[in-house]
Amino acid sequence: MTEAQGGVRGWAAARKGHLSRLRFTSLRLRLVVVFGLVALTAAVSASGIAYWLNREAVLTRTQDAVLGDFRQAMQTRAGTLPAHPSQDELQHTAGQMANSSQRFSVLLVAQDPAGKTVYGSSGGLDGFSLQDVPKSLRTAVNKQQDITSGNKYAYHLYWQRVVDHGTPYLVAGTRVIDGAATGYMLKSLEPEAKDLNSLAWSLGIATGLALVGSALLAQAAASTVLKPVQRLGVAARRLGEGKLDTRLRVSGTDELADLSRTFNDAAEALEKRVEDMAARDEASRRFVADMSHELRTPLTAITAVTEILEEELEAESGSMDPMIEPAVRLVVSETRRLNDLVENLMEVTRFDAGTARLVLDDVDLADQITACIDARAWLDAVDLDAERGIHARVDPRRLDVILANLIGNALKHGGSPVRVSVRLSDAESGEGAEIVIAVRDHGPGIPEDVLPHVFDRFYKASASRPRSEGSGLGLSIALENAHIHGGEITAANSPDGGAVFTLRLPRDASALTEESEKDTGKNGNAS
């Protein structure tokens, strides 16, 4: 069941990917659609006009030829009939008239000597009949017109196109001048209709080919326009990934070539700027590292002297002059502070240079935290909530640095009692379980404007008190040590009052050390 669901999800994801590439916001699809609509409009308009013109020309040509033959036959054949012909005479004359080259059917109507209406059809009794002639046409044919200077004949030839069972016909009728016979003609236009249908199909095929051609042309045009744009997008992504040596090949003198040149100029300027900034940053780190190393030599001597002075202060003999005792205590305190600052600076330079490494060991977290608190004489000020038996594979020295900075910061700024709690994340038995260590104080909390900066180097919450016992690097170093473990430290204010620093570390950081060793090996081989 799981495999089936996975297959369905994979198919759905692939289908979604194809649809996303065909979304209407795609420039390629829009170009194809626009080209197709323009070509379709032009082809349909041209085909419609061509069909209409050809249709009128074909029908008019056929109609004129048929009507001319019918008129001529009425004059030469029906005009020779007596005033009151018999049905046989009408039948014979209709047959002669139908033998025209146009092959139309003829119906003649007249009155015999007895005054009875008789009919003569070229198709016999079951052929062309008066019911096949529209009533309006019969009325127009039999209506006598007044003779005027503009109208020389009392009767005229009338015609009409009709459709019977899907077949078009031409129906015409007229009356013999000074005669008694009225003639009607029926001509099938089916051959012309077939020709026009063939023409329509041809025009439709031509329209389809034009649409396909326009789509291919749009695809070619889109490729010509979009390929440089796609290359620009790929180059921009590579540039965003940090590959600052990315450049575009410039060809031509159009707008796209100008865009490529502009991109190359911007990339070159960005690369130079980043190189300059990297050089300045490297110089700054080197200066801090060199300065820290240079300070250690005189600081070692100063520290030795201050230790002697501190022993004199603590001696019961009272050999220290009371007048200079405050100055000596100040020197001792500031020397310690300077020593801590130098050590912190050297640690920061190791992080910046990427040379900091983990030395892992299996530790019991409760024992590790207890040792950290005991070494700094904080047992009376810290409340530890940690069960024994929670083991983790971490760097003990770096974890001690993290805990010392977090607990020391809580005691200094929040006041005791400081509560330290240890727990595991929800996946306690899984390999991906996390260690969660929370350090909470009962002080006033951290101001909201200070929270985003508590881990910044040398950040002072109060500008009016720039000097303090700390160096301003403790929380920053703690955060770097958490990062090198693959963990994180967050700061927040507890709803019950006080600040809470939460340390999250993976229970086993071995994978990080393996990746670090691989990266080191690759860099060594590359060099």
Side-chain angles (χ1 to χ4, degrees):
M1 185 66 180
T2 304
E3 292 180 358
Q5 290 177 351
V8 171
R9 285 195 296 268
W11 175 83
R15 183 172 178 268
K16 185 177 180 181
H18 291 305
L19 291 177
S20 65
R21 287 192 292 270
L22 293 177
R23 63 189 186 278
F24 192 70
T25 54
S26 169
L27 183 57
R28 181 185 300 275
L29 182 58
R30 280 186 286 173
L31 283 173
V32 172
V33 170
V34 170
F35 269 73
L37 290 176
V38 171
L40 183 62
T41 302
V44 168
S45 300
S47 299
I49 294 172
Y51 177 79
W52 181 78
L53 292 176
N54 281 276
R55 178 179 182 276
E56 289 301 315
V58 170
L59 294 179
T60 301
R61 183 171 61 251
T62 303
Q63 177 181 293
D64 291 344
V66 172
L67 294 179
D69 282 6
F70 177 63
R71 181 185 291 107
Q72 183 67 27
M74 285 294 293
Q75 292 175 356
T76 57
R77 300 290 185 180
T80 60
L81 289 171
H84 299 284
S86 64
Q87 184 173 1
D88 292 338
E89 290 175 329
L90 288 177
Q91 193 78 24
H92 178 71
T93 303
Q96 290 180 329
M97 293 174 62
N99 286 330
S100 169
S101 61
Q102 297 298 327
R103 311 304 297 174
F104 48 72
S105 300
V106 177
L107 173 66
L108 295 178
V109 182
Q111 290 184 344
D112 62 5
K116 179 183 177 182
T117 302
V118 291
Y119 303 91
S121 176
S122 61
L125 296 178
D126 296 330
F128 182 32
S129 65
L130 198 59
Q131 286 74 23
D132 297 326
V133 181
K135 186 177 180 180
S136 59
L137 182 62
R138 283 180 280 162
T139 301
V141 168
N142 291 314
K143 183 177 182 180
Q144 185 175 2
Q145 304 289 333
D146 296 332
I147 304 299
T148 63
S149 58
N151 183 30
K152 298 180 181 180
Y153 302 104
Y155 298 99
H156 296 275
L157 174 65
Y158 295 94
W159 59 271
Q160 186 175 342
R161 294 174 191 165
V162 297
V163 178
D164 184 19
H165 296 92
T167 302
Y169 292 93
L170 175 65
V171 182
T174 187
R175 188 166 183 173
V176 178
I177 304 300
D178 298 331
T182 302
Y184 296 96
M185 178 274 302
L186 179 68
K187 168 66 176 177
S188 174
L189 299 177
E190 186 174 5
E192 287 74 15
K194 289 183 178 179
D195 292 341
L196 291 175
N197 286 336
S198 298
L199 176 62
W201 274 104
S202 300
L203 293 176
I205 293 173
T207 301
L209 292 176
L211 187 60
V212 172
S214 67
L216 296 176
L217 181 62
Q219 178 71 14
S223 299
T224 303
V225 174
L226 294 181
K227 278 185 179 179
V229 177
Q230 290 173 347
R231 287 197 294 267
L232 179 62
V234 172
R237 283 192 294 272
R238 289 172 57 85
L239 199 65
E241 293 170 356
K243 300 174 182 177
L244 302 180
D245 58 343
T246 302
R247 298 292 185 272
L248 288 172
R249 180 172 56 85
V250 180
S251 60
T253 57
D254 55 7
E255 289 80 359
L256 292 174
D258 291 340
L259 180 60
S260 299
R261 293 189 187 92
T262 303
F263 176 86
N264 290 341
D265 293 341
E268 184 177 356
L270 179 62
E271 183 180 18
K272 187 176 184 304
R273 181 67 61 85
V274 170
E275 287 177 352
D276 293 342
M277 292 177 63
R280 286 196 294 269
D281 188 51
E282 178 64 25
S284 176
R285 287 199 300 267
R286 190 163 51 250
F287 169 76
V288 173
D290 294 343
M291 180 190 69
S292 301
H293 281 287
E294 291 298 327
L295 285 175
R296 292 191 71 178
T297 301
L299 189 59
T300 302
I302 296 174
T303 302
V305 173
T306 55
E307 288 177 353
I308 296 174
L309 293 175
E310 189 175 12
E311 291 176 358
E312 290 292 331
L313 288 173
E314 295 175 355
E316 296 180 356
S317 60
S319 59
M320 180 69 66
D321 188 346
M323 296 296 293
I324 64 172
E325 181 177 343
V328 173
R329 293 188 181 276
L330 179 61
V331 169
V332 171
S333 174
E334 290 301 308
T335 301
R336 287 177 177 172
R337 182 172 179 273
L338 181 60
N339 192 46
D340 291 340
L341 177 60
V342 171
E343 291 297 328
N344 287 337
L345 285 174
M346 294 186 66
E347 184 73 3
V348 167
T349 57
R350 282 192 287 270
F351 282 121
D352 289 344
T355 58
R357 295 289 181 267
L358 293 175
V359 180
L360 300 180
D361 194 7
D362 291 324
V363 298
D364 185 301
L365 294 179
D367 292 341
Q368 178 73 20
I369 298 174
T370 301
C372 174
I373 296 172
D374 186 32
R376 293 162 179 82
W378 291 339
L379 287 175
D380 295 336
V382 178
D383 181 13
L384 177 61
D385 179 15
E387 296 182 1
R388 294 186 179 276
I390 301 178
H391 291 269
R393 187 165 180 79
V394 295
D395 187 326
R397 184 185 71 82
R398 295 189 183 279
L399 180 59
D400 181 78
V401 171
I402 297 173
L403 294 172
N405 277 294
L406 294 181
I407 298 173
N409 183 76
L411 289 171
K412 185 185 304 180
H413 299 288
S416 60
V418 172
R419 180 177 177 81
V420 180
S421 61
V422 181
R423 64 180 176 86
L424 294 178
S425 61
D426 295 336
E428 294 187 4
S429 58
E431 295 181 358
E434 283 186 333
I435 305 164
V436 182
I437 302 176
V439 179
R440 177 190 169 194
D441 61 45
H442 291 79
I446 305 174
E448 293 297 326
D449 59 331
V450 175
L451 269 176
H453 306 287
V454 293
F455 296 105
D456 293 352
R457 297 176 182 177
F458 300 108
Y459 181 77
K460 302 289 185 179
S462 176
S464 61
R465 294 187 293 116
R467 278 190 57 82
S468 64
E469 295 180 6
S471 63
L473 292 173
L475 291 179
S476 174
I477 291 174
L479 182 63
E480 293 290 351
N481 278 302
H483 285 169
I484 199 174
H485 278 88
E488 186 61 66
I489 303 178
T490 57
N493 288 315
S494 173
D496 299 329
V500 180
F501 285 82
T502 303
L503 168 66
R504 293 179 178 271
L505 296 177
R507 195 169 184 180
D508 187 353
S510 300
L512 295 174
T513 58
E514 292 174 1
E515 292 178 3
S516 178
E517 290 173 359
K518 289 180 181 178
D519 293 339
T520 304
K522 289 180 181 178
N523 294 334
N525 293 334
S527 61

